[in-house]
Amino acid sequence: MPESRTGVVCFTSILSAGAAVALLLGGCAGASTMDVKASCEFLNNDTFKPDGNQQHQSTQIAAHYHDIAGKLAPEIGEPIKVMAGIMDQAAASSLGATTQQQQQQLKVQFDKIGQYCK
């Protein structure tokens, strides 16, 4: 597993135990989002961990990103939406792995999130 690919997995680990928190904070409204502080706490407590081969992992990561992006503050959710699209592309490739260019694109999005979540 490439080193930056490991970074993606680590980030996703930072991103689903908070799913319960998101549901509690979102209530029945469905359209409500967390504020930046709650979004960062959610990411820091997320225990999502993909399994299976590289292609399955990329598919699971993309689905997880899609699932959580709309629940987070826009400052955090928008970069995650971009990351979900990148992981969709990786999952659709023959090996399911991110390319160097995709890894760089993911890094840009991680850096955007890092501006808010320290």
Side-chain angles (χ1 to χ4, degrees):
M1 191 178 311
E3 185 173 321
S4 43
R5 178 72 181 132
T6 303
V8 172
V9 173
C10 288
F11 178 73
T12 59
S13 301
I14 297 173
L15 292 175
S16 201
V21 173
L23 291 174
L24 290 173
L25 292 174
C28 295
S32 64
T33 58
M34 294 180 240
D35 63 19
V36 170
K37 181 179 177 188
S39 296
C40 293
E41 288 175 11
F42 173 88
L43 295 180
N44 286 327
N45 292 315
D46 189 15
T47 60
F48 170 78
K49 183 172 168 109
D51 58 13
N53 66 32
Q54 187 71 50
Q55 197 144 32
H56 289 127
Q57 288 184 15
S58 292
T59 300
Q60 292 168 24
I61 292 167
H64 185 63
Y65 287 170
H66 283 294
D67 183 50
I68 66 169
K71 299 172 185 171
L72 304 173
E75 299 90 337
I76 310 299
E78 289 304 315
I80 292 177
K81 286 179 188 175
V82 173
M83 293 167 60
I86 294 166
M87 293 309 297
D88 282 335
Q89 293 171 356
S93 71
S94 61
L95 296 177
T98 54
T99 64
Q100 273 192 319
Q101 181 181 6
Q102 289 167 327
Q103 291 171 8
Q104 181 58 36
Q105 292 169 339
L106 289 169
K107 183 184 180 317
V108 168
Q109 301 310 311
F110 282 127
D111 290 346
K112 288 181 182 180
I113 294 168
Q115 292 174 3
Y116 298 96
C117 301
K118 305 292 181 193

